Amino acid sequence: MGQACGCIQVEQSKVAIREHFGKYNAVLDPGCHCLPWCLGYKVSGILSLRVQQLDIRCETKTKDNVFVNVVASIQYRALAEKAADAYYKLSNTKAQIQAYVFDVIRASVPKLSLDAAFEQKNEIAKAVEDELEKAMSAYGFEIVQTLIVDIEPDTNVKRAMNEINAAARQRVAASERAEGDKILQIKRAEGEAESKYLSGVGIARQRQAIVDGLRDSVLGFSENVPGTSAKDVMDMVLLTQYFDTMKEIGASSKSSSVFIPHGPGAVKDIASQIRDGLLQGNSAIQH
């Protein structure tokens, strides 16, 4: 705005309030206007028509007694056709808007739990906007937009909420790990059972083959050497295996075997024990 020789210039997006001897006279639009100050005319003030933003932080509590800071962003502007009301009726526009915002937020949020307050931010903003629009239109202001930009619980509450969330996730992770360990143990047990089963089958077949081989050897020897019994052949075979085993042990330089004194006569007892064991094993396999 400029003034010289009784002329005034009003800038774009603004209006000037003209008074005549202290009484409201007119609203001057953007441009150049004649203002004969000598006749009692003067500009009382300039009113901006641009959209303005007011950020308000309101502390309140929720239905579950959690104190929160609700941050609201109010966008408003003065109406050109009601510029006189906007200029004269309110001495502090921002304080008036803040009072209405506090009133609506502190009436709405205590009815909601903390989770519901986060979920219903848009409903809270709509309630604030409706109340402001109804109240501020009488003063020449338009509410362009109302936003609830943040809801901040107390620091201790946020820490507790994070701990609850972390504990829940840890329970899920522990359950998944336990399920994985269970599956691994089941598969390992199944593998061991299968391995033992196959090992048992192999041992059984090995013993069966040994018994079959000994039977064939005894039968063949008895047929080729008249006068020998099966017992004589078995004793000879076991005695031969006994001496072969002693030979292999004696030939090894790294052997750590301990020999107990005994005579060849003990071979008879050893033969009886081995023969009885083989016969019992063969009987168990056949059954």
Side-chain angles (χ1 to χ4, degrees):
M1 182 185 68
Q3 182 175 356
C5 300
C7 293
I8 183 174
Q9 177 182 317
V10 181
E11 298 178 358
Q12 184 65 35
S13 298
K14 294 180 180 179
V15 293
I17 305 301
R18 186 177 67 184
E19 293 181 350
H20 185 219
F21 291 113
K23 182 181 179 181
Y24 166 73
N25 178 256
V27 175
L28 304 181
D29 295 326
C32 184
H33 299 274
C34 181
L35 191 69
W37 56 268
C38 57
L39 298 179
Y41 291 97
K42 72 171 184 177
V43 172
S44 176
I46 301 296
L47 183 66
S48 176
L49 301 180
R50 294 180 179 178
V51 176
Q52 302 180 61
Q53 179 167 311
L54 176 62
D55 293 327
I56 300 173
R57 178 181 293 269
C58 175
E59 184 179 20
T60 184
K61 74 171 185 175
T62 60
K63 186 177 181 179
D64 45 359
N65 295 321
V66 177
F67 281 89
V68 294
N69 285 311
V70 180
V71 181
S73 180
I74 312 299
Q75 298 176 354
Y76 66 98
R77 67 181 176 184
L79 297 173
E81 59 274 18
K82 295 184 178 181
D85 291 338
Y87 183 79
Y88 287 105
K89 286 187 176 182
L90 288 180
S91 60
N92 192 332
T93 305
K94 292 184 178 181
Q96 187 75 8
I97 293 176
Q98 180 174 306
Y100 280 109
V101 172
F102 277 16
D103 181 66
V104 175
I105 289 178
R106 288 175 176 169
S108 302
V109 175
K111 299 178 182 178
L112 305 172
S113 65
L114 181 60
D115 292 339
F118 278 101
E119 294 172 359
Q120 300 183 27
K121 287 199 307 179
N122 292 338
E123 286 77 0
I124 297 173
K126 187 66 169 60
V128 173
E129 183 174 346
D130 292 344
E131 185 65 23
L132 284 175
E133 184 68 32
K134 182 172 60 177
M136 298 304 294
S137 61
Y139 300 108
F141 285 94
E142 176 191 10
I143 304 301
V144 178
Q145 186 72 36
T146 300
L147 302 172
I148 301 298
V149 296
D150 198 7
I151 297 178
E152 299 178 357
D154 183 79
T155 304
N156 294 330
V157 175
K158 288 196 290 186
R159 184 182 301 112
M161 292 174 65
N162 290 334
E163 291 176 355
I164 292 172
N165 186 271
R169 293 181 181 274
Q170 288 174 359
R171 285 197 299 270
V172 173
S175 176
E176 293 295 332
R177 286 196 297 270
E179 189 66 22
D181 293 340
K182 176 183 175 182
I183 294 173
L184 184 62
Q185 291 176 4
I186 291 174
K187 293 300 182 182
R188 185 183 295 115
E190 291 176 352
E192 291 178 356
E194 184 69 17
S195 175
K196 289 179 180 179
Y197 171 76
L198 295 177
S199 177
V201 171
I203 293 174
R205 291 177 178 175
Q206 179 187 22
R207 289 176 178 175
Q208 182 66 43
I210 292 174
V211 171
D212 293 342
L214 290 174
R215 184 182 65 245
D216 294 341
S217 298
V218 170
L219 293 176
F221 195 88
S222 298
E223 292 176 357
N224 296 325
V225 181
T228 58
S229 65
K231 181 178 180 301
D232 296 334
V233 176
M234 286 296 297
D235 289 341
M236 185 184 68
V237 170
L238 292 175
L239 184 62
T240 302
Q241 291 180 348
Y242 172 79
F243 283 118
D244 290 341
T245 302
M246 296 296 294
K247 179 180 177 182
E248 292 178 0
I249 295 174
S252 177
S253 61
K254 298 182 179 180
S255 176
S256 59
S257 302
V258 178
F259 292 94
I260 299 175
H262 66 283
V267 174
K268 181 177 181 181
D269 295 334
I270 296 174
S272 298
Q273 295 174 7
I274 294 175
R275 183 169 58 253
D276 292 341
L278 290 173
L279 292 175
Q280 291 176 1
N282 186 32
S283 176
I285 291 172
Q286 292 176 354
H287 286 81

